[in-house]
Amino acid sequence: MSEEAVALAERVEHPLSLAFALFIAGVVHLLRGELDRTRERAEEAVGLAERLGFPMYLGVGRVLRGRARVESGEGEAGIAEMQQAMGDLAQIGTGLGAPQILCALAEGLRKVGRHDDALGALGLGLAQAEQQGQHYYDAELHRLRAEILLDVDGNAVEEAEALFGQSLEIARRQEAKTFELRAATSLARLWQRQGKRDAARALLAPLYAWFTEGFDTRDLKEAKALLAELR
């Protein structure tokens, strides 16, 4: 559907709609774990926004591009681009999508080993979600916080387990199946390390079985691999 949106915007020659469609397509690829495609769509959105003067789409496009750059090995440069873009977005007064943007920044900071900064970004993301009433990314903010806490201290099991539980509860309440799968995979992996293999499989297997497509995406591949280890 995101590809159809881009094609339609191109066909009717409506540049603002095209900028929006390119941005959303980049987000879709990011959520699917396809960082190369994320960068391609981000580059297109940035180029269009620079040519025609769309500051919001220039900002969010650069956030996406920066996130993809981190994954491709341009760690600090990608982080710097994301932070500059976030500053530009703040200057024009848009907070749209701030929790998701801050979560993406935290993921990038984690990738380059800046765990304290990543936790700070997540805390700000949750604060922005509360302030703006944008709670659609709460599950991921909690899940990623738990993962980073475990990175820093492998013994932070109780706090991490509670955060994974919160993430699961939020995702279930919002019927956000991809976020529910991520939280379940993270919690099942923790339980696996604790020797709770049966509980881990009982949590993850029915959720994985719920999906009927998308098996080539990162999240479902990771869940399948973990289930194979839990047999």
Side-chain angles (χ1 to χ4, degrees), residues 8 16 21 27 31 43 45-46 65 97 127 129 141 145 150 154 179-181 186 199 207 211 216 220 227-228:
L8 176 58
L16 188 59
V27 171
L31 289 169
E43 294 277 11
V46 167
R65 184 171 68 183
L141 290 164
R145 177 173 174 80
L150 290 172
F179 291 168
E180 185 181 351
L181 180 68
S186 292
L207 183 55
F211 288 86
D216 59 334
L220 284 163
L227 283 169

Side-chain angles (χ1 to χ4, degrees), residues 67-223:
R67 179 72 186 89
R69 289 177 69 187
V70 173
E71 289 297 320
S72 64
E74 301 175 61
E76 291 297 343
I79 294 294
E81 178 166 20
M82 294 179 77
Q83 290 174 323
Q84 182 178 348
M86 291 167 67
D88 292 343
L89 288 169
Q91 282 193 343
I92 64 172
T94 178
L96 184 66
Q100 184 176 1
I101 289 172
L102 284 158
C103 192
L105 176 63
E107 287 178 309
L109 289 164
R110 180 192 185 196
K111 183 82 174 179
V112 299
R114 292 169 56 182
H115 295 100
D116 287 344
D117 290 338
L119 291 172
L122 292 172
L124 184 56
L126 286 167
Q128 289 284 304
E130 191 63 34
Q131 180 182 339
Q132 300 173 6
Q134 295 188 56
H135 293 288
Y136 70 103
Y137 231 71
D138 284 5
E140 274 293 89
L141 290 164
H142 283 86
R143 186 192 67 82
L144 187 58
R145 177 173 174 80
E147 293 283 12
I148 294 171
L149 288 174
L150 290 172
D151 288 346
V152 175
D153 180 4
N155 295 317
V157 172
E158 285 190 18
E159 186 175 1
E161 192 168 6
L163 286 165
F164 287 144
Q166 283 183 270
S167 179
L168 263 175
E169 181 184 345
I170 293 166
R172 286 168 176 164
R173 187 170 66 245
Q174 295 180 343
E175 299 183 8
K177 284 295 184 179
T178 293
F179 291 168
E180 185 181 351
L181 180 68
R182 290 183 186 178
T185 301
S186 292
L187 183 54
R189 192 176 291 117
L190 177 61
W191 283 350
Q192 179 193 34
R193 293 199 293 268
Q194 295 175 302
K196 302 176 183 177
R197 298 172 63 86
D198 291 344
R201 183 165 183 81
L203 172 67
L204 188 56
L207 183 55
Y208 179 81
W210 179 89
F211 288 86
T212 58
E213 51 91 23
F215 296 106
D216 59 334
T217 59
R218 180 186 60 191
D219 294 312
L220 284 163
K221 285 180 178 178
E222 288 183 359

Side-chain angles (χ1 to χ4, degrees), residues 13-77:
E13 298 182 345
H14 194 269
L16 188 59
S17 294
L18 179 57
F20 182 44
L22 288 169
F23 164 61
I24 292 298
V27 171
V28 168
H29 289 299
L30 181 65
L31 289 169
R32 285 168 53 91
E34 299 161 345
L35 277 301
D36 287 345
R37 291 290 287 139
T38 299
R39 185 165 184 167
E40 288 175 17
R41 285 311 196 192
E43 294 277 11
E44 293 176 83
V46 167
L48 180 65
E50 285 179 333
R51 289 196 307 274
L52 298 179
F54 299 152
M56 189 182 80
Y57 291 110
L58 177 59
V60 293
R62 293 191 67 202
V63 168
L64 285 178
R65 184 171 68 183
R67 179 72 186 89
R69 289 177 69 187
V70 173
E71 289 297 320
S72 64
E74 301 175 61
E76 291 297 343

